[in-house]
Amino acid sequence: MERLAELSRDDRLRALEDLVLNVMAQTGKRIRRWDMHRSFRELGVSGGRAMRLRRALADRTGQTVTNSVLLDHPTPQALARHFEASLLRDGGASVGPAGSENGGPAPRDEDETVAVIGMACRYPGGVQGPDDLWRLADQGTDAITPLPTDRGWDLTALTDTERGSHNTTYSRGGGFLTEPGLFDAEFFGMTDAEAYATDPQQRLLLETSWEVIEHARIDPSSLRATPTGVFVGVAHQSYSAPLDQEPEELQGHSLVGSLGSSLSGRIAYALGLEGPALTIDTACSSALVCVHLAAQSLRSGESSLAIAGGASINSTPGAFAAISRQRGLAPDGRAKSFSAHADGFALSEGVGLILLERLSDARRNGHPVLAVIRGSAVNQDGTSNGMTAPNAPAQERLIRRALADARLRPDQVDVVEAHSPGTEFGDPVEVRALQATYARDRAPERPLLLGTFKSNIGHSLAAAGAAGVMKMVMALRHGRIPRTLHVEEPTTHVDWSSGTIRLLAEPEPWPETGEPRRAAVSSFGITGTNGHVIVESAPQERADETVALVGAGSPAGDVPAAVAIADKSSPSVPVPGSADASSDPAVPWLLSARTASELCDQAARLREHVAARPGLSDLDIGCSLATTRARFEHRAVVVAHDRSALLRGLDALASGGTSPGLHRSRADDPDADASCVLTLDAAGARLAAEEAPRLHQAFPAFGAQLRALCERAGEELGESVDADELLRAPESGAAPADELRAFLSGLALLHLLESWDVRPGSVTAHPDALALAAHVTGALPFADALRIATVRAHRAEGGPDEDRQEAAEHLTKLVAELSPETPWIPLSLTAGQPLTPHDLRDPALWLRSHASESTPAPGTTLELRGSGTDMTARLPLLPDEVGTGAPNVEDRAMRRVDGLLTALAQYEAHIGGVDWGAVLAERGARTVDLPTYPFQRRLFWAPFRAAQEQS
């Protein structure tokens, strides 16, 4: 543990995670790195196994491990961080997780702009995401359908078109999700009993919360232990049974499954989020109230990111019956907003989530900025003409407060996405408030444009405000505003004659005003709490930044698929499409899923997505797959130079076939233990020196490592070591690099592998590469390894016997002065036993010649070995044999670099954990939109009333 304190924080955490994994394996519970975020309970560590783990950890760390340590730090990842904090404890204050200040707030900035960086949703009309939502709105689709027949409702008893019977409805339809009971329980670690007992609003929020993060091009697993907030709105819950009537087969899960607080708390638990988690019930305004609170949390520094939105699912027909008793529903289930034919609102449902981040953070983190929240406000009607009656003065106050928060004049807002549920009384009240605020002193030639998404899908209650925000964000980006349905004849209860408000009876292009596009969204709760949010188009980038838009990457009619910002000094961005030059390295596409079927499905969806967007860069797709998606048990990597070969790999993966560039984990046993042995010899180091120019071209980090090592070597040896000489393409007939430069080049390659998170479990070295191996395993410091390599090189050069004898004596003296440490990982000579520090002080070990070894030198290789299986794969990092199809030096160099990528792909498939983002970091790649996770859903539908009737 003492040596850990000398490492960088990233290396220290990695070493401690390895320690926890190893100790767990020794106590009979082997897990993989991608499961380190799962709780010990989920992993089956409890009782006697937990006790053995605590004892083993105490023995290995030398620290006191309390009985409550697994409760206080409930995941292997959290446990590793706990041990890291104990190493650096100062005056009793522990160091918190990376990027935190031990719970302290971030800098507060009340004027900070908040950006919309991701969206996810489920709404009627088959809407599964924001692109579907836009298509439905843009095409003017009516998504209202008859009452559902697949929810266990007794429609015969429920329907009474004469409006007379108790607990019946006269409404013939509404807005309904397709199969709201479908859910991927296994993905979120829920048993069947727990899934059945859990309100579908919670389940749908789990899936959409994962998707909203992916839509922002963020790996959801990367947000664990971050102060990401969750603000979720809800209006009513009707799924679960009263707790004293819970069916026995639900095993007590109904308690948590029915709590309103679980709507936000379950998201935070499942994703490991540590910011505020609030469930808000202000009825119809819940989603906008959540957006308002989330923006405040971000500006105050309380949250680093915030998920905001709402959910409303009609598990039972109770809401239809209750509102029918008040004669509030439209008989045909359609909202005729602002229409002379308005006859009640359309009951609907849905789930909508928005991911928010401070604009400065979004820019710095490279996240897409879809729009910004320019201002928002929340207020209450107070005493109005009935608790559920709308109040125009309260709505006016709300709008003025939101405009003041946005620091805007009313005429600077172009469009209002209205609350308007389609009632004869409520719609005119809303218009009068708009006339008194937005339309006041407004020029008729620039009227306020007014519409509502409720005319398409109905009133989705707690999710309605989120739908309105998403519709307006998409309209801002597309530059056109969809029409409102059923409004051919405007209501006569409003004086429209001033022309300062115009209903969107037809779609219109967004008015060009010379200012950013702006829209406001309103939601008014049935109990008087109102919300108003003003959204604005994403701001123009600063003059010292360049913005790259991949317009060709979108299907026809879609907005640009990627927005990337790069400093002008960064490498140039490749031309979109499959334009990878033949001299460029191959491109890896990484896919990962929890199950083999999901992996195949993901390949099929990606293939369809890419085929529809031929302008996307292969490199950008590879970068996005590597950096914006979580890693799971089942993994596959397709490595190829051109789009057609990459697509063939996807086709093979989707169909369960094979392809030359496809490398995948074992479908039958992805968790099968595999180990990795790094084999080193001088031939491999010399090959690294020979290919240094090409490696530097393909991976600039290699050149940076080599320059730093040459500088250190020059300081230690007292003579200049020219890195530029190594990084220049050699002239024809040039002599091979000497042993010193081979040592430095080989070490630069190994440092490059380390920066990519390639972590062998052991190292085997031929005698001529022992100094290199001893250094990379931590047994020898750089200076000692360098001097030994230099002396051995002089001894190996030949010459008079007396010169060789002198070199041997020098080497013997040098070895005697060594103070080796125990290697971090086992180190051995080829086919030998692990070496100890005592062995490394034996001159005979260092005087052995490579010729004395019977095993041929394979070069630098990664050897993958399956535990308990016949899997063995030797992967040369720079293949010496590149085949007859490489007729010239450049082709051979390219194939060797491709061999390195192939070795990484095999390592990923069988071991996992390669940092592909680092591999691609300096190739000018940026992130683009990808399909979200392919959840494999099953039906879990047992609402209390339906279950009671069936029983």
Side-chain angles (χ1 to χ4, degrees):
M1 293 292 283
E2 294 178 359
R3 293 177 64 188
L4 289 173
E6 302 171 2
L7 300 177
S8 68
R9 187 170 196 277
D10 288 344
D11 288 342
R12 186 166 56 244
L13 280 173
R14 179 73 182 223
L16 285 166
E17 288 175 355
D18 289 341
L19 183 146
V20 171
L21 291 174
N22 291 337
V23 171
M24 290 184 69
Q26 292 169 8
T27 56
K29 187 62 183 180
R30 186 178 297 277
I31 67 167
R32 305 304 290 267
R33 188 170 298 280
W34 44 83
D35 281 329
M36 290 198 68
H37 66 273
R38 298 176 64 185
S39 69
F40 288 111
R41 182 186 66 82
E42 287 182 85
L43 296 171
V45 178
S46 60
R49 180 170 285 160
M51 181 177 66
R52 292 193 300 274
L53 176 59
R54 291 196 302 268
R55 289 175 177 171
L57 287 169
D59 292 340
R60 289 288 296 275
T61 63
Q63 297 186 17
T64 300
V65 179
T66 64
N67 291 338
S68 64
V69 70
L70 301 188
L71 292 175
D72 298 336
H73 311 284
T75 69
Q77 190 175 61
L79 189 60
R81 285 177 171 157
H82 162 67
F83 287 124
E84 193 258 349
S86 69
L87 283 175
L88 303 178
R89 192 169 289 125
D90 182 15
S94 64
V95 176
S100 79
E101 297 178 4
N102 201 29
R108 184 186 187 96
D109 186 353
E110 298 293 350
D111 295 326
E112 174 74 81
T113 301
V114 171
V116 177
I117 64 171
M119 302 186 294
C121 59
R122 304 278 192 279
Y123 285 105
V127 170
Q128 297 293 307
D131 290 333
D132 291 340
L133 184 149
W134 173 249
R135 278 190 287 272
L136 187 145
D138 191 43
Q139 295 171 6
T141 302
D142 183 345
I144 301 303
T145 60
L147 298 176
T149 59
D150 57 355
R151 301 194 184 187
W153 299 0
D154 186 345
L155 297 183
T156 301
L158 175 66
T159 306
D160 180 3
T161 56
E162 300 301 321
R163 308 187 180 192
S165 304
H166 180 59
N167 284 341
T168 63
T169 183
Y170 56 85
S171 181
R172 301 185 298 276
F176 301 99
L177 299 188
T178 303
E179 295 284 9
L182 292 176
F183 177 58
D184 191 340
E186 291 81 1
F187 184 89
F188 292 100
M190 295 174 68
T191 64
D192 284 6
E194 188 176 9
Y196 271 113
T198 299
D199 191 312
Q201 295 175 137
Q202 291 186 35
R203 298 190 236 129
L204 288 167
L205 281 167
L206 281 175
E207 292 188 356
T208 50
S209 63
W210 187 274
E211 291 171 354
V212 77
I213 299 170
E214 287 193 328
H215 189 246
R217 305 176 196 165
I218 300 173
D219 171 1
S221 67
S222 70
L223 298 185
R224 291 190 176 277
T226 66
T228 298
V230 182
F231 301 83
V232 174
V234 64
H236 67 94
Q237 298 179 86
S238 57
Y239 179 82
S240 300
L243 296 181
D244 62 346
Q245 299 178 43
E246 180 193 50
E248 182 178 357
E249 60 269 19
L250 298 187
Q251 303 173 10
H253 290 298
S254 294
L255 173 61
V256 175
S258 63
L259 290 175
S261 59
S262 293
L263 292 168
S264 56
R266 194 180 286 278
I267 294 173
Y269 171 79
L271 301 182
L273 311 179
E274 297 182 357
L278 306 178
T279 300
I280 306 297
D281 182 358
T282 60
C284 316
S285 62
S286 295
L288 288 195
V289 171
C290 287
V291 171
H292 174 76
L293 295 176
Q296 289 185 333
S297 181
L298 288 166
R299 292 190 182 107
S300 71
E302 180 181 53
S303 299
S304 57
L305 291 167
I307 298 171
S312 185
I313 301 297
N314 295 303
S315 299
T316 67
F320 282 87
I323 301 173
S324 291
R325 291 285 292 175
Q326 299 178 6
R327 301 297 184 262
L329 293 180
D332 63 356
R334 289 174 172 82
K336 305 166 190 67
S337 303
F338 306 119
S339 170
H341 305 290
D343 56 356
F345 81 87
L347 193 58
S348 181
E349 61 190 8
V351 178
L353 292 179
I354 300 162
L355 188 61
L356 303 174
E357 186 176 27
R358 290 181 289 270
L359 178 61
S360 59
D361 289 344
R363 292 297 193 210
R364 183 174 60 254
N365 296 329
H367 298 152
V369 178
L370 309 179
V372 297
I373 305 297
R374 181 63 189 262
S376 63
V378 169
N379 77 349
Q380 237 285 338
D381 289 347
T383 301
S384 58
N385 192 28
M387 187 171 180
T388 63
N391 184 275
Q395 294 178 22
E396 293 175 30
R397 293 192 299 271
L398 175 76
I399 292 169
R400 293 192 180 100
R401 185 174 298 174
L403 285 167
D405 184 56
R407 300 178 184 177
L408 293 173
R409 301 187 312 272
D411 65 347
Q412 290 178 290
V413 174
D414 309 311
V415 183
V416 167
E417 170 70 14
H419 172 73
S420 180
T423 60
E424 184 180 11
F425 172 64
D427 290 5
V429 170
E430 184 172 2
V431 175
R432 285 198 294 272
L434 296 174
Q435 289 175 327
T437 51
Y438 284 117
R440 186 175 182 178
D441 301 325
R442 197 180 190 104
E445 59 270 19
R446 191 186 164 189
L448 179 73
L449 302 179
L450 181 62
T452 180
F453 194 44
K454 291 184 179 68
S455 70
N456 301 87
I457 67 167
H459 188 355
S460 54
L461 304 180
V469 170
M470 280 186 267
K471 173 190 167 184
M472 286 295 98
V473 168
M474 297 299 283
L476 287 169
R477 292 168 61 76
H478 285 271
R480 60 181 183 270
I481 314 165
R483 70 185 179 101
T484 296
L485 310 185
H486 321 305
V487 75
E488 293 79 9
E489 185 180 347
T491 176
T492 58
H493 297 296
V494 171
D495 181 3
W496 305 97
S497 61
S498 68
T500 54
I501 295 181
R502 184 167 74 236
L503 288 173
L504 288 159
E506 296 296 333
E508 295 193 22
W510 203 285
E512 295 298 333
T513 65
E515 294 190 22
R517 297 167 180 165
R518 298 187 185 97
V521 183
S522 292
S523 285
F524 308 132
I526 193 173
T527 55
T529 298
N530 310 307
H532 194 72
V533 172
I534 299 173
V535 295
E536 181 178 282
S537 56
Q540 294 294 318
E541 281 67 40
R542 298 185 300 274
D544 62 341
E545 292 176 326
T546 59
V547 182
L549 299 179
V550 188
S554 302
D558 277 6
V559 294
V563 178
I565 301 174
D567 187 270
K568 287 183 177 180
S569 63
S570 65
S572 60
V573 177
V575 177
S578 188
D580 303 301
S582 59
S583 61
D584 289 338
V587 174
W589 283 5
L590 167 68
L591 294 90
S592 183
R594 283 208 184 278
T595 67
S597 61
E598 287 174 340
L599 186 63
C600 294
D601 192 17
Q602 189 178 81
R605 293 178 64 182
L606 179 62
R607 206 247 188 255
E608 180 182 3
H609 179 88
V610 173
R613 295 161 178 82
L616 285 179
S617 159
D618 294 345
L619 190 60
D620 292 345
I621 296 169
C623 173
S624 304
L625 289 167
T627 62
T628 72
R629 295 300 183 260
R631 208 78 59 91
F632 297 108
E633 299 92 322
H634 291 261
R635 298 170 310 287
V637 185
V638 183
V639 181
H641 274 274
D642 59 78
R643 175 67 59 88
S644 60
L646 288 164
L647 293 181
R648 285 196 298 273
L650 291 182
D651 288 337
L653 180 57
S655 63
T658 60
S659 179
L662 173 62
H663 312 275
R664 63 168 299 170
S665 56
R666 293 180 50 178
D668 60 333
D669 190 7
D671 285 324
D673 295 333
S675 61
C676 175
V677 180
L678 174 64
T679 303
L680 299 174
D681 67 12
R686 285 192 295 271
L687 199 55
E690 178 184 333
E691 300 299 348
R694 177 66 184 172
L695 287 168
H696 173 51
Q697 179 186 358
F699 312 108
F702 171 83
Q705 292 278 5
L706 186 55
R707 289 183 189 279
L709 289 171
C710 287
E711 184 176 349
R712 288 182 65 189
E715 293 172 357
E716 293 291 344
L717 300 175
E719 62 182 63
S720 175
V721 181
D722 188 359
D724 290 333
E725 178 185 346
L726 279 167
L727 295 175
R728 283 195 297 268
E731 297 179 359
S732 177
D738 61 31
E739 295 298 329
L740 170 61
R741 286 162 177 75
F743 170 84
L744 295 173
S745 299
L747 184 55
L749 177 60
L750 296 179
H751 283 332
L752 187 66
L753 289 177
E754 184 180 17
S755 73
W756 294 342
D757 268 352
V758 175
R759 310 277 176 158
S762 62
V763 174
T764 297
H766 284 67
D768 53 8
L770 183 56
L772 179 61
H775 174 57
V776 297
T777 58
L780 289 181
F782 175 76
D784 288 349
L786 176 69
R787 288 189 172 87
I788 288 178
T790 304
V791 174
R792 279 185 57 88
H794 290 326
R795 180 170 178 263
E797 287 174 358
D801 290 342
E802 55 270 21
D803 290 347
R804 299 183 63 186
Q805 182 62 33
E806 182 180 349
E809 292 173 357
H810 186 187
L811 181 60
T812 300
K813 180 179 179 181
L814 183 60
V815 171
E817 296 171 354
L818 295 178
S819 297
E821 298 277 358
T822 301
W824 287 106
I825 56 177
L827 167 64
S828 63
L829 288 179
T830 306
Q833 295 298 315
L835 298 174
T836 66
H838 180 268
D839 296 329
L840 294 174
R841 295 193 65 187
D842 181 1
L845 181 70
W846 299 97
L847 292 172
R848 292 172 65 177
S849 68
H850 173 65
S852 66
E853 293 294 307
S854 59
T855 305
T860 302
T861 68
L862 294 175
E863 186 172 333
L864 306 181
R865 300 173 181 173
S867 175
T869 72
D870 57 0
M871 190 277 288
T872 300
R874 176 167 287 177
L875 311 174
L877 296 182
L878 298 173
D880 195 26
E881 296 296 332
V882 294
T884 58
N888 57 52
V889 172
E890 183 62 27
D891 286 344
R892 286 198 298 272
M894 181 183 69
R895 295 200 179 191
R896 282 170 178 160
V897 171
D898 289 349
L900 178 55
L901 290 171
T902 298
L904 291 177
Q906 287 274 41
Y907 178 93
E908 176 65 51
H910 296 290
I911 304 290
V914 174
D915 185 348
W916 291 99
V919 175
L920 300 173
E922 296 179 281
R923 291 177 62 178
R926 71 270 177 90
T927 59
V928 296
D929 290 337
L930 296 174
T932 53
Y933 191 84
F935 294 114
Q936 302 292 298
R937 302 176 175 96
R938 293 185 289 129
L939 184 63
F940 297 93
W941 190 257
F944 168 62
R945 183 172 299 177
Q948 188 181 51
E949 291 172 353
Q950 290 171 2
S951 64

